[in-house]
Amino acid sequence: MATSTGTITTSAGPLDVNTLVSNLMQAESAQDLTPLTNQASSYNALISAYGTLKSALSTYQSAIQGMTTASFSSQKSSVSNAGTGSNLTSNPFTATINSDSSTQILAQKIQSAGVASGTTFNAGDSIAIKVGSGSPTFVTLKANSTIAGVRDAINAANAGVTASVVTDGSGDHLVLESNTGGTANTIKVSANNTLSGFAYDPSSSTPSTMTQTQAPRDATSAASGNYAVSISQLAQTAKLSSAGIAPGTTFDSGLLAIKTGTGSTAVIQPATNTLAGVRDAINASSAGVNATIVSDGTNDHLVITAKNSGAANTIKITGTGSYSVFSSDPSGNTISPNVSTSQTYASGTLNLKVGDTTVAINPTANGSGTIDLTQVMSAINGANAGVTASITNDGTNNHLVLTPTGSSSTSAVALTGTGDYSGLTMAGMGQMIKAQDAKLSIDGVTVTSPSNQVENVISGVTLNLNSVTNSSDNLTLNISNDTSGLTTAANTFVSAYNTLEKAISSLTAQTPSTTLGQSTNSSPLASESSVQTIVDQLRNTLFATVNGGNGISSLSDIGIAFQKDGTLALDSTKLSTAASSNFAGIANLFTATDPDPTNTTSANNGIVTKLQTLMTSLLSDTGLIATKTNGLQTSLKLNQDEQTAVQTRLTAMQDAYTNQFNQLNTTLSSMQATQSYLTQQLANLPKTS
């Protein structure tokens, strides 16, 4: 009779081998494998719970990262008009608070004298950089280096500054900028040997070739108060339009040059000689203008607009040859080439085009029977064509000047001469909008601005001008502390913490059983000391006191306190009282920053400042959450390896049991056959009487 081996059982016998082996293996598994699988389930539950905790902490981190000094010291503006009458200006301007550069924190920046290209700084020479009250960082050159090598060595040393190299006509300059803004974070540099030229200490009597190119500045708030404002003129951007140009016109000769404001003159070289080619070449240049083509239904017009507004950003265009139709003078006048003071005209024609209207100009001779520039001027003025002609002298030559007037004041002007008049040929684009500055008065002080966004006039305030005011207006701008914004920020602070607290409480809850003899129902992190450490760190930070608040040093001073359930609550009345008496102290309580960035636990740091540091630490790759999670994952891996080993042993044991019972089953089956044979033989023996 064949026998089975391993996990293959045989039914040839009285024993139920499968059931016997199964029962034995269940007992073995319960003893060796079940504890491991239960342990693995516990590890997985903890890993999942720490993931949930990390998510809650990340959400809290995002909430407090959005809390800046501006969040707790917000200001508001309002504009009122106490003028009388029905002709009052509506919404002449708006004001935005603390958005301009005058209130922003600045870092110090220093720059060396020029260093000749290729200059070598010797290996072993060193430089020490000290920022604020921090300890100096020493940087020693490991090899002979260029100024770029010095820059790279400083940046690699994390010295609290960023080093760069700029090059100009005097050579290469090493530039150092503090990584932290504010007047407390100034730079001091000591250096020796070949690096000594980079030393910088303003308090030292020793001359230094390093100079300050940007002074450090602390962040400030807008100056609260009332300001009387009137606006007499808005800033405008220069805009020009050519005369009508027939579709398909090409520009085959001459030169086009554009100068905007004080910028350099850009020579325009179109890739194609069409009007579109001219437009594209202008837009591809650095001329400081944008060009478009506008059709009036019959002809095309080239429209050129300065990129920046203000009186300084005028547009001057010089065109020769076929490009002369695009010429333009910032004055808006069209000016002729040089005309000799003795020039007279005996033959030829003269035509004046203003906009799309062309008139013939026919000068008449003077009393001496000659025609000179004066007669030309008179003939143009007598034509009433929408321009006024005048004559100017540059000290050597005369110039005929054409000024568009009335309804033609924005029209393109062209004067075309033949014969003796050919020297008067000239053209000018129409000045649709003249470049000009905004003009306004603030508390009686006249202010000009190249833009309608007026910055740095009232500290911390940007005025956005919309329209000119009139004599009936009596406008007042009020800048005041925004207690409603402060209340919103405080509520956000409380709400963010309470959301985190509730998430932690859910993960650590222990619910006693209501049934006698049953154990307490515990959440996954109920017994985790790491979680209690996090909670303690959070609460210690919230309970901390902060220096420099002038009477406001803790959350309780502004009405924020812990409740019995561990959440925070805000007493709005107490907050309002504190804001009325010490608005700046509240911002200090939350967002003050120690001048030494390494002193993260200092009482000079505000509560939000410390919380931001704590969250960064907890959620970093080496923080408490990551360390705990990594440990659990390592334990889970060891558990899985152990389960694999136990499973291998149990499989071998099952094979052994199966083989043993198969053999026993075979033996018993054989014994049954023998018993049956003997019984049969005995039954066949002769019976005796």
Side-chain angles (χ1 to χ4, degrees):
M1 181 180 295
T3 60
S4 299
T5 61
T7 57
I8 302 173
T9 61
T10 177
S11 59
L15 299 178
D16 183 354
V17 174
N18 187 60
T19 300
L20 286 171
V21 172
S22 177
N23 290 337
L24 287 170
M25 294 313 301
Q26 286 180 2
E28 293 288 347
S29 179
Q31 179 179 342
D32 297 334
L33 189 60
T34 300
L36 291 175
T37 57
N38 290 340
Q39 187 181 55
S41 296
S42 176
Y43 287 148
N44 280 318
L46 284 171
I47 291 171
S48 177
Y50 271 106
T52 302
L53 175 60
K54 181 178 180 180
S55 178
L57 289 170
S58 296
T59 299
Y60 182 62
Q61 181 185 44
S62 297
I64 62 173
Q65 279 178 338
M67 296 180 181
T68 63
T69 300
S71 302
F72 295 97
S73 59
S74 58
Q75 294 174 292
K76 61 182 178 180
S77 66
S78 62
V79 179
S80 60
N81 194 340
T84 58
S86 59
N87 191 32
L88 299 181
T89 306
S90 175
N91 192 32
F93 67 91
T94 60
T96 52
I97 311 300
N98 297 328
S99 62
D100 68 326
S101 60
S102 69
T103 62
Q104 307 304 310
I105 190 171
L106 286 181
Q108 186 184 33
K109 187 184 292 186
I110 59 176
Q111 177 176 296
S112 74
V115 175
S117 178
T119 299
T120 299
F121 301 91
N122 297 336
D125 292 350
S126 61
I127 188 170
I129 300 173
K130 177 181 171 68
V131 178
S133 59
S135 301
T137 299
F138 293 89
V139 182
T140 301
L141 296 182
K142 296 180 180 179
N144 290 348
S145 305
T146 63
I147 194 170
V150 175
R151 172 201 64 197
D152 295 342
I154 292 173
N155 287 334
N158 296 318
V161 299
T162 297
S164 59
V165 175
V166 297
T167 302
D168 60 18
S170 64
D172 298 328
H173 303 263
L174 180 68
V175 178
L176 301 180
E177 182 174 5
S178 174
N179 291 340
T180 309
T183 56
N185 296 297
T186 55
I187 304 170
K188 181 179 179 181
V189 182
S190 301
N192 62 21
N193 302 327
T194 59
L195 296 174
S196 59
F198 300 132
Y200 178 78
D201 183 359
S203 63
S204 172
S205 59
T206 303
S208 173
T209 60
M210 293 284 281
T211 57
Q212 178 176 270
T213 57
Q214 179 172 284
R217 185 176 69 197
D218 296 324
T220 58
S221 297
S224 296
N226 293 320
Y227 304 88
V229 180
S230 63
I231 305 167
S232 58
Q233 180 173 287
L234 294 180
Q236 293 184 164
T237 301
K239 188 173 187 179
L240 311 175
S241 177
S242 72
I245 298 172
T249 298
T250 58
F251 305 88
D252 302 309
S253 65
L255 181 72
L256 183 65
I258 301 177
K259 178 181 175 64
T260 304
T262 58
S264 58
T265 300
V267 178
I268 309 301
Q269 297 177 320
T272 63
N273 61 357
T274 63
L275 186 61
V278 175
R279 174 201 61 195
D280 295 342
I282 292 173
N283 289 334
S285 73
S286 58
V289 298
N290 293 315
T292 59
I293 296 174
V294 178
S295 174
D296 61 15
T298 302
N299 293 305
D300 295 328
H301 299 260
L302 182 68
V303 178
I304 297 178
T305 307
K307 291 182 178 179
N308 297 310
S309 61
N313 291 304
T314 56
I315 304 173
K316 181 177 179 60
I317 303 177
T318 303
T320 62
S322 55
Y323 294 105
S324 62
V325 295
F326 303 125
S327 294
S328 179
D329 187 83
S331 66
N333 299 324
T334 302
I335 305 173
S336 74
N338 293 336
V339 178
S340 171
T341 55
S342 61
Q343 176 71 46
T344 59
Y345 305 93
S347 64
T349 61
L350 195 60
N351 290 292
L352 175 64
K353 184 178 182 181
V354 181
D356 294 326
T357 302
T358 302
V359 296
I361 304 299
N362 300 302
T364 58
N366 57 23
S368 61
T370 60
I371 298 174
D372 59 19
L373 195 59
T374 300
Q375 277 65 54
V376 173
M377 175 188 70
S378 297
I380 292 173
N381 289 333
N384 295 318
V387 298
T388 297
S390 59
I391 297 173
T392 63
N393 186 276
D394 61 13
T396 303
N397 295 295
N398 290 329
H399 296 269
L400 180 65
V401 179
L402 303 180
T403 305
T405 60
S407 61
S408 300
S409 61
T410 62
S411 298
V413 174
L415 187 65
T416 305
T418 63
D420 292 344
Y421 294 106
S422 61
L424 294 178
T425 296
M426 55 180 168
M429 296 181 75
Q431 193 172 68
M432 301 174 69
I433 300 176
K434 181 181 179 181
Q436 66 181 30
D437 290 335
K439 293 183 180 179
L440 61 157
S441 170
I442 300 177
D443 285 346
V445 178
T446 300
V447 176
T448 60
S449 169
S451 167
N452 288 319
Q453 285 190 327
V454 184
E455 296 184 343
N456 302 329
V457 175
I458 302 173
S459 177
V461 180
T462 298
L463 299 180
N464 307 296
L465 309 186
N466 300 320
S467 60
V468 172
T469 58
N470 58 56
S471 58
S472 300
D473 294 315
N474 183 5
L475 294 162
T476 299
L477 168 67
N478 174 260
I479 306 298
S480 60
N481 295 329
D482 185 4
T483 55
S484 63
L486 173 62
T487 300
T488 298
N491 277 311
T492 299
F493 176 83
V494 169
S495 177
Y497 178 79
N498 288 347
T499 299
L500 175 62
E501 167 61 26
K502 290 174 183 177
I504 294 176
S505 295
S506 175
L507 292 168
T508 58
Q510 294 187 4
T511 306
S513 174
T514 57
T515 303
L516 186 63
Q518 289 188 355
S519 61
T520 298
N521 296 319
S522 298
S523 297
L525 302 181
S527 301
E528 288 293 297
S529 60
S530 296
V531 180
Q532 187 57 50
T533 297
I534 292 172
V535 172
D536 290 343
Q537 289 176 333
L538 283 167
R539 291 180 177 174
N540 288 340
T541 303
L542 292 169
F543 277 122
T545 57
V546 179
N547 296 335
N550 193 27
I552 294 179
S553 60
S554 67
L555 290 177
S556 61
D557 292 332
I558 63 169
I560 297 178
F562 276 104
Q563 307 301 293
K564 291 181 179 180
D565 62 357
T567 61
L568 294 174
L570 171 64
D571 183 338
S572 57
T573 300
K574 193 170 183 179
L575 175 65
S576 178
T577 301
S580 298
S581 61
N582 189 359
F583 193 77
I586 298 177
N588 180 82
L589 172 67
F590 285 103
T591 60
T593 303
D594 193 289
D596 182 359
T598 64
N599 197 3
T600 56
T601 60
S602 165
N604 294 324
N605 286 316
I607 292 172
V608 167
T609 305
K610 287 183 177 179
L611 285 172
Q612 290 172 341
T613 301
L614 175 60
M615 289 299 102
T616 299
S617 173
L618 290 175
L619 294 171
S620 70
D621 291 340
T622 57
L624 188 57
I625 299 294
T627 300
K628 186 65 180 180
T629 301
N630 291 338
L632 288 169
Q633 289 172 336
T634 299
S635 297
L636 180 61
K637 177 62 170 59
L638 293 173
N639 175 279
Q640 291 170 338
D641 292 343
E642 192 172 349
Q643 283 192 57
T644 299
V646 170
Q647 190 64 58
T648 299
R649 181 172 59 80
L650 290 177
T651 298
M653 183 180 295
Q654 181 178 357
D655 288 346
Y657 280 147
T658 302
N659 285 331
Q660 289 174 3
F661 282 111
N662 280 342
Q663 291 173 1
L664 177 59
N665 220 16
T666 300
T667 301
L668 290 176
S669 177
S670 175
M671 291 176 65
Q672 284 180 327
T674 300
Q675 179 184 19
S676 177
Y677 173 76
L678 291 174
T679 300
Q680 183 180 8
Q681 292 301 313
L682 289 173
N684 291 332
L685 289 176
K687 293 183 173 63
T688 58
S689 54

